[in-house]
Amino acid sequence: MNSIRRVVALFLVMVSCGPDEKPEELLSEDTMVEILVDIHLAEGFVQSLSIPYDSSKVLYPILERQIFEKHGVADSVYIQSLEYYLLDAAKMEYLYERTIDSLTLKEKITR
């Protein structure tokens, strides 16, 4: 998945950077999970469309912007929070376990 690659790349960049200072506007764990769920759903939606890759690269940022608007979060706040949580592997693993659980539950409900 595209977002997993971005998370791993971002993690590698963050590990090589300076101290892990807590951002001023840190998103709560619950908000992070909600946004991650929506991001994964958007990615799945875009991947399921029968459109060329370059078109999906145009569509996904639009959906991503809508996700941030839905949650009332600036993309920069999301990125700073993601970077912060990525510095703690156990915390990030926990957030992704919750994300996967939420996605699984949504899948069961729609069946």
Side-chain angles (χ1 to χ4, degrees), residues 40-80:
H40 284 288
L41 289 173
E43 285 181 346
F45 171 72
V46 171
Q47 289 177 357
S48 72
L49 298 175
S50 297
I51 59 175
Y53 178 74
D54 58 337
S55 297
S56 67
K57 289 199 58 114
V58 171
L59 177 59
Y60 179 75
I62 294 169
L63 296 175
E64 191 176 51
R65 193 173 334 113
Q66 290 175 348
I67 291 167
F68 295 135
E69 288 173 4
K70 171 186 170 184
H71 292 280
V73 171
D75 60 345
S76 60
V77 173
Y78 167 75
I79 291 170
Q80 288 175 355

Side-chain angles (χ1 to χ4, degrees), residues 83-101:
E83 289 171 348
Y84 176 77
Y85 286 123
L86 282 170
L87 291 172
D88 183 346
K91 177 68 71 181
M92 201 63 211
E93 182 177 351
Y94 171 70
L95 292 176
Y96 259 94
E97 285 174 1
R98 289 183 55 195
T99 301
I100 291 167
D101 288 346

Side-chain angles (χ1 to χ4, degrees), residues 16-31:
S16 64
C17 293
D20 55 338
E21 294 180 21
K22 190 174 184 177
E24 278 186 37
E25 297 183 66
L26 179 65
L27 296 176
S28 71
E29 292 178 13
D30 291 341
T31 301

